[in-house]
Amino acid sequence: MADQRPDPDALLASVQAQEARAERGKLKIFFGFAPGVGKTYAMLEAGRKVAKEGVDVLVGYVEPHARPDTQALVLGLDMLSRREVVYRDRTLLEFDLEAALARCPQLVLVDELAHTNAPGMTHAKRWQDIEDLLKAGIDVFTTVNVQHLETVNDLVAQITGIPVRETVPDSVFEQANEVELVDLAPDDLIERLREGKVYFPEQARHAIDNFFRKGNLIALRELSLRRMAERVDAQMADYRAENLVTRIWPASERLLVCVSASPHSMRLVRATRRMATSLRAPWIAVHVETAGDTRMSAADRDRLAQTLQLAEQLGAETVTLPAAHFADEVLHLARTKNVSKIVVGKPQQPRWQEWLRGSFVYELTRKCGDVDIYVITGEQSEPVGRRPAIAEPAINYAGYGSAAGIVAVCSVVCWLAFPVSGTANLIMIYLLGVVASALWLGRGPSALAAVLSVATFDYFFVPPYLTFAVSDTQYLLTFAVMLMTGLIVGTLTARVRFQAESARAREHRTAALYAMSRELVDAATLLQLLPPARRHIGQAFAGDVHLLFPDPATRRLRPLGEHADQRALDEHELGVAQWAFDHQQPAGRGTDTLPSARGLYLPLNVSQKSMGVMALVSSAEQRYFSPDQLRQLVTFAGQIALAAERIEAAAEARKLQVQMEAERLRNSLLSAVSHDLRTPLAAITGASSTLLENDALLEPGVRRELAESIFIEGDRLNRLVANLLDMTRLEAGAIALQKEWQPLEEVIGVALNRLARPLHGREVRVQLPADLPLVPIDGLLVQQVLTNLLENAAKYSPPGTPIEITARLQDNEVEVAVADRGPGINAADRTQIFEKFYRSANAAGRMGVGLGLAICRSIVELHGGRIAVDDRPGGGAVFRFRLPLAGSPPPAVPEEVPVEHSRTE
């Protein structure tokens, strides 16, 4: 018998779900098929009834329809003030979630579950507001129509021709504690419309001619009734599972058909489909795997896969059960699914085989209990008495020979042990051989081993010896028990071996899926998806895997990582793959679309689009895949599709980040340049215009002051433009280093001379050790570094405070430091202060575009060095940059020989 004990994990999940439901508020939905059937009226009536029982009821929101009967029901109930939201010069009245939570009643009545809230509200949808109420432990009554359910929204649009924009997830409807159907005959609803009880007369006439046509209302009513029936059926299934009910409840019909590799199974599936259609019942197609499935021929495997695919195409749910006891497993599934009728085929095997192997139909009818069994043959399209040619599995001659060898080895061991051991021990040795045959070779060889064991035991170890004659009749019982025990043990061992192999195969595919998913997480490009897909899917399904992605310009598929000299797909196969991509449906081998293709092509569908196609060119002989295999391949394809979507999203995010950074730099540049160019240009323009217009009237001192202003602002403008040009050249790699061994004091001296005017009136202390060696540098570029650092120190330190320049030799590097007594650098700015166009908070009101320090870092890094900034003890900042001493300096030149240095820019 199959183990029918309850699943502990399922019980634990049920208990946890009950605990979660106990903490939430209860949701009751008044469900209708169209506006005007009376949902709001029924909700208010139920609210008033509950309020009379002493429950604190709050009317959170009721749609303000001009219906006197409905408005009268609101009177006497505590009503929440609506929240006013101004949107596009209109004042909208919405449900005030925050006020309802603060009021915290026991029950809130909220109309129109699918309503879309006005912009500015806490949530976009009203069902989200209700979810917050339920989480707070507040019960809710609400209303909704069938056309607002997400899964039937497209059906409603097809029926009525009018798309419904506001929808509710089906999970909200399914998780409701109670759903009350508010129904009304379509003729009565149309009469209510004509009487003006639903809409105003003009609106009512327009509604009757469009959405409220009688045919539409009948179809919507059927949809709502079916949706309620499905909900009730699901509730019954949940109750049966929670209360461990195994007895069939024939509240509705559900059929189950048993299929196999027999050619009659397709007829059986079609007959069951006709029966299910006449009964308007769902149905299930079941195949029970046995040890014989491992020896099934390729033709039989294809036939079984075709049968299961046909059942799926005809609307059945397909299930494959790995089991040994046919009848027990089928009946267990039937009771779990509340199946009322089981359809099986008429037995085709001879009567003597039924006596030996047992009859599945007999076992099923004997144990079925309250389940009806239908034994049918389906359509007869072949002459009676003529069986179709079925490829018989090849006889395992090697296995039977190995079984005979095992019995021979056991006989030798028994011959050696016979003088010192009893016959019982000899029997155990033979039984051990039978078990080994069943474990390694299968059921047939183990049966042969059992028969040979009895024969050899009788021939060699039962007097009279070396004959099959038996002098003592008690040995006949021994032979019978030994034979039966051997056959039973062999059968059970072979069955366990088959179950272990089935579990191992499933575990192998599951492990492959897990391993591939784990590797796909690390993939950063589409090309990196190919190796794990080929390795894991190819091993699990014995074939070659190709990934094809569309060209962005032409949308034509191209194999990923393929070359002309490798295993590329030909034009025909690429055409099949393109069809699967364009139609987002499987195609190729084993499907109904282009089945002559060598490969199976599965679209990589995700988020309502196809990322590409996965191709499996299997080397196996079978032409068809079972539904389980197809589902697993679809799962593999889904994992690859998700990884491809993640990679595409990451690329889009990087592209967007680059665009945002470019936009930020552009805005920073425009902002800085527009300010820092305009200021010196305005000063130059003002001073020069004054000189031109009033030259004769100006005193010499004033003219000199204006000329100096023009010079200073022009020099500042020149440095700004030079910084921009230098940054552009550095980023473009247009600057080539011209290193020379130079004394650092000369470079510092030139930089100080260039900044004589900005540093006027400020003490600059230079402290260089006497033994400081020559440094291999590009003198002009390092002068630019020192110039920018000194200008930065002068700009951000108070006037009159000193600036210090120091240098030292450390770890085969020369470290140069420029220190000031300014406000210092914030810790948050230290990592960004060397970025382009970055200006710290201390830069407010000061000239500059934020390029000076970025140029310093680029030049220092171009020399192979590094630059950093630290706080200075006692206040201020210290900028340090290090230059490596690579190579050997040139020999010293005698003093009497003049040396001239020249350089052309």
Side-chain angles (χ1 to χ4, degrees), residues 118-160:
M121 299 293 290
T122 305
H123 297 298
K125 297 288 187 177
R126 184 166 291 167
W127 64 263
Q128 296 173 312
D129 296 338
I130 291 177
E131 182 66 21
D132 283 357
L133 294 175
L134 296 174
K135 289 180 180 178
I138 301 173
D139 296 341
V140 177
F141 285 1
T142 188
T143 63
V144 73
N145 288 323
V146 67
Q147 67 263 27
H148 295 297
L149 296 182
E150 186 67 44
T151 55
V152 300
N153 182 261
D154 55 341
L155 299 178
V156 173
Q158 292 177 15
I159 294 171
T160 64

Side-chain angles (χ1 to χ4, degrees), residues 23-91:
E23 297 175 357
R24 286 169 56 90
K26 292 181 174 55
L27 175 63
K28 182 174 181 178
I29 296 177
F30 293 84
F31 185 56
F33 68 88
V37 296
K39 303 181 303 299
T40 304
Y41 189 92
M43 179 185 71
L44 292 173
E45 253 191 348
R48 294 183 69 89
K49 181 179 179 181
V50 173
K52 291 179 181 179
E53 299 172 357
V55 176
D56 183 11
V57 178
L58 174 68
V59 179
Y61 183 89
V62 173
E63 195 66 27
H65 298 298
R67 302 169 187 168
D69 295 342
T70 302
Q71 293 175 348
L73 291 176
V74 180
L75 301 176
L77 294 176
D78 191 4
M79 192 165 184
L80 185 69
S81 299
R82 298 174 184 173
R83 181 174 174 178
E84 295 184 356
V85 180
V86 178
Y87 179 65
R88 293 183 179 178
D89 300 329
R90 294 177 56 194
T91 300

Side-chain angles (χ1 to χ4, degrees), residues 164-402:
V164 179
R165 304 298 181 188
E166 295 180 325
T167 59
V168 176
D170 284 54
S171 58
V172 177
F173 183 82
E174 292 164 358
Q175 294 172 7
N177 299 84
E178 186 178 352
V179 177
E180 181 176 320
L181 179 65
V182 182
D183 192 33
L184 188 66
D187 291 333
D188 294 340
L189 178 57
I190 293 174
E191 185 64 27
R192 291 193 65 194
L193 279 167
R194 291 195 177 109
E195 293 174 356
K197 295 182 178 180
V198 180
Y199 298 127
F200 292 113
E202 185 62 31
Q203 289 179 314
R205 284 192 295 271
H206 180 72
I208 293 173
D209 294 336
N210 292 276
F211 187 85
F212 284 83
R213 291 197 299 268
K214 185 174 180 180
N216 291 348
L217 296 180
I218 292 174
L220 293 174
R221 190 185 189 194
E222 182 180 1
L223 276 178
S224 63
L225 293 173
R226 285 186 177 277
R227 198 67 182 84
M228 282 299 299
E230 292 172 2
R231 174 180 169 81
V232 172
D233 188 66
Q235 286 179 326
M236 184 181 70
D238 292 341
Y239 179 85
R240 284 168 49 84
E242 291 175 0
N243 294 272
L244 306 179
V245 177
T246 59
R247 185 167 51 86
I248 300 298
W249 289 0
S252 61
E253 299 289 353
R254 184 175 276 107
L255 279 66
L256 183 149
V257 58
C258 301
V259 300
S260 66
S262 169
H264 298 287
S265 290
M266 285 194 177
R267 305 174 186 173
L268 207 62
V269 165
R270 296 187 184 99
T272 307
R273 165 62 178 171
R274 291 194 297 272
M275 187 183 299
T277 302
S278 63
L279 295 174
R280 295 177 180 259
W283 57 297
I284 306 169
V286 178
H287 169 63
V288 181
E289 291 182 340
T290 63
D293 288 4
T294 59
R295 302 186 300 274
M296 194 181 297
S297 64
D300 286 345
R301 289 183 185 277
D302 285 345
R303 189 181 299 112
L304 175 60
Q306 285 180 289
T307 302
L308 292 173
Q309 287 184 17
L310 176 64
E312 280 194 338
Q313 293 170 3
L314 295 178
E317 174 189 355
T318 58
V319 178
T320 301
L321 298 175
H325 300 280
F326 281 28
D328 293 338
E329 288 297 335
V330 169
L331 288 172
H332 176 59
L333 178 66
R335 291 190 172 93
T336 302
K337 298 284 188 178
N338 199 36
V339 171
S340 58
K341 294 176 173 58
I342 296 178
V343 180
V344 295
K346 182 184 295 184
Q348 300 291 327
Q349 61 187 3
R351 190 59 177 269
W352 65 270
Q353 289 187 6
E354 292 186 4
W355 289 343
L356 289 178
R357 301 178 181 178
S359 172
F360 168 64
V361 175
Y362 173 73
E363 289 291 322
L364 203 61
T365 54
R366 188 171 62 88
K367 300 177 180 179
C368 65
D370 48 359
V371 182
D372 297 334
I373 307 297
Y374 288 79
V375 182
I376 61 177
T377 57
E379 302 168 354
Q380 280 289 351
S381 59
E382 297 179 0
V384 178
R386 180 181 174 183
R387 295 183 55 130
I390 304 175
E392 295 292 337
I395 299 176
N396 185 12
Y397 293 105
Y400 287 105
S402 300

